[in-house]
Amino acid sequence: MAKRKNILPGFNISLGFTLLYLSLIVLIPLSAAFIKTTEISFAEFWQIVTTPRVVASYKLTFGASFIGALINAVFGLLTAWVLVRYTFPGKKFIDALVDLPFALPTAVAGIALTAIYANNGWIGAWLEPLGVKVAFTPLGVIIALTFIGLPFVVRTVQPVLEDLEAETEEAAASLGANRLQTFTKIILPAVWPALLTGFALAFARAIGEYGSVIFIAGNMPMVSEITPLIIITKLEQYDYVGATAVAVVMLVISFILLLAINGLQWWANRNNGAER
Amino acid sequence: MSGISTSQYSHYHSKVARNRATSEPAWVRYLLIGTALSFLSLFLFVPLAAVFTEALRKGFDTYVTALVDPDALAAIKLTFIAAIIAVPLNLVFGVSAAWAITKFEFKGKSILITLIDLPFAVSPVIAGLIYVLIFGLQGWFGSYLVDNDIKIIFAVPGIVLATIFVTFPFVARELIPLMQAQGKDEEEAGLVLGASGWQILWRITLPNVKWGLLYGVILTNARAMGEFGAVSVVSGHIRGMTNTMPLHVEILYNEYNYAAAFAVASLLALLALVTLALKTYVEWHAAHDASLAEDASK
């Protein structure tokens, strides 16, 4: 295509305003976190971010986020499959309700889940005799992080399943493949990039989550204390440098995840494009 | 997340009848549907039902009393103030960013798109923290603000700033793919016919993306009113002054005043349900318009 001159107006003003607003609201404030950590030496920084209590919080945050995202990958794929391929009463309603964790304020989700899983709650009361405690344990953290990540996998896998051509499945069947083989050899490879993207999105969202977790976690140091809560606790003790040091660790991990997700989405788009 | 574009296909595909070879036996179908519905009930229906049950546990009078409490009313008011400031600002930003990104070519465009997504990747707690580092007592402008008696942290401006940060990308993210797909032929035609830049924006571009725009605004508003972590850091939790609805829920809950906490929470849950209903309505309209356009082009 020959390069032609763009005649539309408003480039300078729209890009200028975009960059100004982005800098004022996001970039300059975020840089403040990195600048704040230059007040201490790297040895001090390392000492703060590797104290046993903080390390325990990383393990819980990343472990619970990973398990939550894994649960969502399995049940999200199943939900997307059921919504795209089958018909059943109330399907439209269910489809709309999948986005509830996006729309429901996290604090509301937090107290609702705590009420359900407390030892006198609807589900907690059933689990209590079995010796399973959910509220105020790491298990509760997993439940909360599963809830807030629920829509991601469904919403990334759903459009890919909708776009799958029936012809490839028919071809597989006519060549003698059974349904399970068709699923694992034809359908799963096609949705794989989207599934991985959804998993990564749910994982990234779970790592930073605060509101829905703190009510159900019990927040016991070394046991059920998530990293965002460590930041809050340090802030409440006016330990700004300590809070910022832990925040910088989380920010760096989040940025890496964001880049990984961008890469995944690019891969998913390329895969879909190649099929056409 | 890209809700508008996904559902346009579903009505077409549901018409494609599937034969035996590309479908599952009935018992597999029922097993899968049953498992999926059990999972969704456990994680979606039960929490939602719990909010309203707990809210009304002590009766309707207690419920109403909790909502007309002066502190609760102040929290509701502050929540609306934060949303009324944050939503329009991010709307203007979203339109402006989408215009620059989709109608022009320039270096570093993909970096700009990634940077716009940044607030999604940042923990809400950190979103609050960074404004404390700038405007807090020990922050960059701390002494200047104290000298001039301006309060940002532990006051309304801080809450508004934190809300703007966490809702920053929503409108831009909805508009960029839509405006990309639409191209710029119509805008250029408008220009040739003598329309000014603003006329093109108001009469051509915005009407073309109106459903995506509305969808972005709905998402922005829901998140703005429900934000907890970021606002919690900058609020200072002063009752009747700097408490938003989610923070008020937390205070009541920590005081073991469960009925009142769930009463305020039920308002937020209603907001979430209205958001989902509006979202479904908007998606339906977008799909409807798209199929009309398809028919017209035949």
Side-chain angles (χ1 to χ4, degrees), chain A residues 6 21 25 86 99 179 208, chain B residues 13 24 90 103 123 131 279:
Chain A
N6 197 330
Y21 191 72
I25 298 291
Y86 304 145
D99 283 327
R179 253 337 253 170
Chain B
H13 270 269
E24 292 75 34
N90 283 339
K103 305 294 175 195
S123 169
Y131 289 111
K279 175 185 165 295

Side-chain angles (χ1 to χ4, degrees), chain A residues 6-9 11 14 18 21 25 29 86 96 99 111 114 116 122-123 147 162 179 208 211 240 247 254-255 262, chain B residues 6 13 24 43 90 93 96-97 99-100 103-104 114 118 121 123-124 129-131 138 164 184 191 228 253 279:
Chain A
N6 197 330
I7 50 165
L8 288 176
F11 176 64
S14 64
T18 301
Y21 191 72
I25 298 291
Y86 304 145
D99 283 327
I111 63 170
T114 313
I116 296 164
W122 288 346
I123 298 173
F147 173 83
E162 276 167 359
R179 253 337 253 170
Y240 291 110
S254 300
F255 292 164
N262 275 358
Chain B
T6 60
H13 270 269
E24 292 75 34
F43 277 95
N90 283 339
F93 163 74
S96 154
W99 179 265
K103 305 294 175 195
F104 302 94
T114 305
L118 260 187
S123 169
L129 166 76
I130 55 179
Y131 289 111
Q138 303 180 358
I164 291 175
K184 51 191 180 193
L191 195 72
F228 178 73
Y253 188 85
K279 175 185 165 295

Side-chain angles (χ1 to χ4, degrees), chain A residues 114 118-119 134-140 214-220 223-224, chain B residues 253:
Chain A
T114 313
N119 54 21
V134 177
F136 317 123
T137 70
L139 210 53
I214 50 155
F215 294 100
I216 201 171
N219 307 325
M220 271 176 12
V223 179
S224 59
Chain B
Y253 188 85

Side-chain angles (χ1 to χ4, degrees), chain B residues 8-283:
Chain B
Q8 290 173 4
Y9 300 98
S10 55
H11 74 107
Y12 159 71
H13 270 269
S14 59
K15 280 181 202 158
V16 180
R18 295 194 165 268
N19 58 21
R20 250 166 196 285
T22 54
S23 182
E24 292 75 34
W27 68 270
V28 175
R29 284 205 305 269
Y30 292 131
L31 185 71
L32 293 178
I33 292 174
T35 315
L37 289 186
S38 311
F39 173 74
L40 295 178
S41 312
L42 195 63
F43 277 95
L44 300 178
F45 288 113
V46 174
L48 203 53
V51 172
F52 293 102
T53 313
E54 294 287 332
L56 293 167
R57 188 178 287 269
K58 296 249 172 81
F60 195 69
D61 290 342
T62 320
Y63 180 80
V64 175
T65 312
L67 295 184
V68 297
D69 175 78
D71 288 342
L73 290 177
I76 294 170
K77 192 176 152 203
L78 181 56
T79 297
F80 276 93
I81 289 174
I84 281 170
I85 301 173
V87 175
L89 280 175
N90 283 339
L91 173 64
V92 172
F93 163 74
V95 171
S96 154
W99 179 265
I101 286 171
T102 61
K103 305 294 175 195
F104 302 94
E105 293 304 322
F106 54 93
K107 271 188 190 156
K109 190 195 265 194
S110 57
I111 299 175
L112 179 61
I113 296 175
T114 305
L115 288 177
I116 290 173
D117 271 351
L118 260 187
F120 277 154
V122 173
S123 169
V125 169
I126 297 174
L129 166 76
I130 55 179
Y131 289 111
V132 173
L133 292 178
I134 291 177
F135 298 112
L137 262 186
Q138 303 180 358
W140 292 357
F141 302 115
S143 50
Y144 172 82
L145 294 173
V146 171
D147 291 347
N148 291 280
D149 204 23
I150 305 170
K151 282 207 80 142
I152 292 183
I153 300 303
F154 303 150
V156 177
I159 291 171
V160 173
L161 274 174
T163 306
I164 291 175
F165 182 95
V166 294
T167 57
F168 183 87
F170 284 104
V171 176
R173 273 201 78 148
E174 283 305 319
L175 287 187
I176 290 170
L178 277 179
M179 283 167 65
Q180 198 99 58
Q182 238 131 25
K184 51 191 180 193
D185 295 351
E186 289 184 39
E187 279 84 358
E188 283 170 351
L191 195 72
V192 170
L193 293 172
S196 74
W198 289 114
Q199 281 174 324
I200 293 173
L201 185 69
W202 281 110
R203 305 244 177 107
I204 299 171
T205 310
L206 292 184
N208 271 343
V209 296
K210 61 175 185 274
W211 296 117
L213 196 73
L214 188 59
Y215 187 74
V217 167
I218 292 167
L219 288 180
T220 308
N221 181 61
R223 183 71 197 270
M225 291 190 166
E227 179 50 32
F228 178 73
V231 170
S232 170
V233 173
V234 296
S235 141
H237 304 272
I238 309 163
R239 276 195 127 148
M241 299 280 288
T242 63
N243 259 350
T244 60
M245 282 163 80
L247 297 177
H248 193 58
V249 169
E250 184 199 20
I251 288 193
L252 292 171
Y253 188 85
N254 287 342
E255 287 171 348
Y256 303 105
N257 193 351
Y258 295 136
F262 276 101
V264 180
S266 75
L267 285 187
L268 289 167
L270 274 180
L271 170 74
L273 289 177
V274 170
T275 301
L276 291 184
L278 277 172
K279 175 185 165 295
T280 312
Y281 174 79
V282 165
E283 278 174 355

Side-chain angles (χ1 to χ4, degrees), chain A residues 4 37 61 72 100 116 132 139 149 159 193 207 221 225 231 246 265:
Chain A
R4 56 176 185 166
T37 53
T61 302
N72 277 322
L100 182 72
I116 296 164
V132 182
L139 210 53
I207 286 172
E225 189 179 41
I231 297 173
V246 178
Q265 273 165 342

